[in-house]
Amino acid sequence: MVNMNKAMHFKEINPNQWDALLIQYDESLWYQQARNIQLIASSYHKQAIYYACYHQSVFCAAMVLYVHKKNAALPTHFFYTPFFINASLKDFVVNQALNQMLIDLKTAYHTIELKLSPKFNDIRAFTWSGFTHQLYYTLNKGLLFDEKKPSENIRRQINKIAQNEAVQVKVETTNLASIIATHLKMMLQNGMGKAEMQQVQHWVNTFHHQQQLIVFGLYESTNLKGSALLTFDQQQAYLISITGGVPETQGQTALYFAIFDHFSKMGITKVDLLGANIQGVAEYKSKLGSQLAPYFILSYRKHLLFYQLKLMLKKRLKRQ
């Protein structure tokens, strides 16, 4: 697909071209890498289509859509949409190129959904092109020495943990299958459908085989009491799931700070704590010394009225 409009144009590119642009213009974060994009697409039975837009011959921005037929909806909310820009350009140049690309993409797809990383807060090109937006939040724990410190209560818990030899956290090498199964079961109990759970299982297992996923186990008196799954790249780590820990022994606090210590020793500078949109969870994660980071989910629906009627019908059927 190629569209030309004098100075502004966009085109489909292949995965190798995508990775080359990524290396030149952005951080090579794991969810941006073509190999992992293809894995996510195959896990959710989508086609990953790579787009880049230009001002004359100068690269402006690139994004990936996960496509099924005429729909480019988000396959999952675990990951941000692969998207990056040429930060050396003026914002109006990038927005003009993006706006032209979005106008043409709207003619190709009935539905487009994007989850932008917190680093992108200028969404004007999308709103000018008729996209709606919702504001969400995550929390990022910085791992550098001068980052935000934990709350006084968490610091007291850390001191107690240091004096309690019965509480230990380790990187798992033997109980992987059972721990991963525990997290998948928890996702089912929290409302995830069986089909989506199987899709999550596919990419979790693949990331582990690629050594891009670490499983942590929390032990209290040698008994497994909690665990966590995280993916990572050279810059940051991303929480996928965490569970367990007895409040009386500050188990979950021990688990989190062992995770932070492990990734800090790897030279990673930040951990994305996977959302801050549920009050109790957000308040606890904030006490760990994390920083609030807003992000946008952007949506375009060509047949918006039909979609709204479909949602209303589904809600009525559920009541019956």
Side-chain angles (χ1 to χ4, degrees):
M1 182 186 300
V2 179
N3 181 282
M4 302 293 295
N5 182 14
K6 294 184 179 180
M8 303 297 176
H9 66 281
F10 83 101
K11 63 182 180 180
E12 290 183 29
I13 59 176
N14 64 43
N16 290 334
Q17 292 170 322
W18 168 275
D19 277 344
L21 287 170
L22 184 64
I23 291 170
Q24 185 174 358
Y25 291 102
D26 199 62
E27 300 169 309
S28 187
L29 302 178
W30 76 269
Y31 67 88
Q32 304 259 58
Q33 298 164 9
R35 179 180 71 167
N36 295 329
I37 290 168
Q38 294 301 124
L39 172 60
I40 298 304
S42 65
S43 296
Y44 292 92
H45 309 293
K46 307 275 188 180
Q47 179 185 5
I49 302 183
Y50 303 76
Y51 293 104
C53 57
Y54 297 81
H55 176 256
Q56 296 177 349
S57 61
V58 178
F59 168 76
C60 294
M63 73 171 71
V64 170
L65 296 182
Y66 293 101
V67 175
H68 177 67
K69 296 182 179 179
K70 290 289 186 179
N71 294 312
L74 283 172
T76 175
H77 286 269
F78 279 105
F79 316 116
Y80 300 113
T81 297
F83 174 76
F84 60 96
I85 65 171
N86 183 346
S88 68
L89 298 178
K90 299 291 186 182
D91 59 357
F92 71 86
V93 176
V94 174
N95 282 334
Q96 285 176 359
L98 269 175
N99 191 52
Q100 182 59 51
M101 180 171 71
L102 294 170
I103 289 171
D104 289 293
L105 288 177
K106 284 162 51 181
T107 67
Y109 300 109
H110 295 160
T111 301
I112 303 173
E113 287 182 330
L114 308 167
K115 178 183 175 181
L116 296 189
S117 161
K119 69 185 292 184
F120 298 109
N121 54 24
D122 184 356
I123 62 169
R124 290 173 297 170
F126 297 93
T127 57
W128 293 336
S129 299
F131 281 67
T132 59
H133 65 276
Q134 292 178 289
L135 178 63
Y136 292 90
Y137 297 91
T138 190
L139 282 159
N140 291 323
K141 172 60 179 176
L143 303 181
L144 299 177
F145 180 76
D146 58 348
E147 297 283 356
K148 184 179 176 182
K149 304 303 180 185
S151 70
E152 183 177 346
N153 181 50
I154 294 294
R155 291 199 297 271
R156 285 198 297 267
Q157 290 185 30
I158 295 170
N159 290 333
K160 289 182 180 180
I161 292 164
Q163 299 169 17
N164 187 353
E165 295 181 357
V167 177
Q168 295 185 344
V169 177
K170 67 177 185 178
V171 174
E172 290 290 344
T173 57
T174 56
N175 296 324
L176 297 172
S178 61
I179 290 175
I180 290 172
T182 297
H183 285 266
L184 294 171
K185 182 179 179 180
M186 181 181 68
M187 292 175 191
L188 279 174
Q189 293 171 343
N190 289 338
M192 181 179 288
K194 186 175 181 180
E196 185 177 0
M197 184 273 290
Q198 291 172 341
Q199 292 161 339
V200 172
Q201 183 177 21
H202 179 255
W203 56 256
V204 163
N205 288 335
T206 304
F207 282 141
H208 177 255
H209 292 315
Q210 293 177 353
Q211 298 184 331
Q212 286 186 279
L213 180 128
I214 297 180
V215 179
F216 295 87
L218 166 68
Y219 290 82
E220 298 179 10
S221 300
T222 72
N223 297 314
L224 182 65
K225 294 294 186 180
S227 55
L229 314 178
L230 291 96
T231 59
F232 64 97
D233 51 49
Q234 292 181 344
Q235 285 81 32
Q236 61 189 81
Y238 310 80
L239 179 66
I240 299 299
S241 181
I242 189 166
T243 185
V246 178
E248 290 76 14
T249 58
Q250 296 83 41
Q252 192 156 108
T253 300
L255 183 54
Y256 269 112
F257 278 86
I259 290 168
F260 300 154
D261 182 63
H262 180 87
F263 285 115
S264 177
K265 289 176 179 176
M266 290 176 60
I268 288 171
T269 59
K270 182 169 65 176
V271 180
D272 187 327
L273 297 179
L274 186 68
N277 300 297
I278 300 172
Q279 184 177 358
V281 175
E283 289 174 351
Y284 173 74
K285 289 180 180 179
S286 180
K287 292 176 183 177
L288 299 175
S290 55
Q291 294 279 3
L292 191 66
Y295 66 88
F296 291 100
I297 292 182
L298 306 166
S299 302
Y300 167 77
R301 300 188 187 278
K302 185 175 292 184
H303 306 296
L304 182 58
L305 179 60
F306 173 77
Y307 174 75
Q308 291 171 335
L309 290 172
K310 185 178 177 181
L311 285 181
M312 290 175 60
L313 180 60
K314 280 186 177 180
K315 288 180 181 178
R316 288 184 181 179
L317 290 173
K318 285 182 179 179
R319 292 175 188 154
Q320 294 177 357

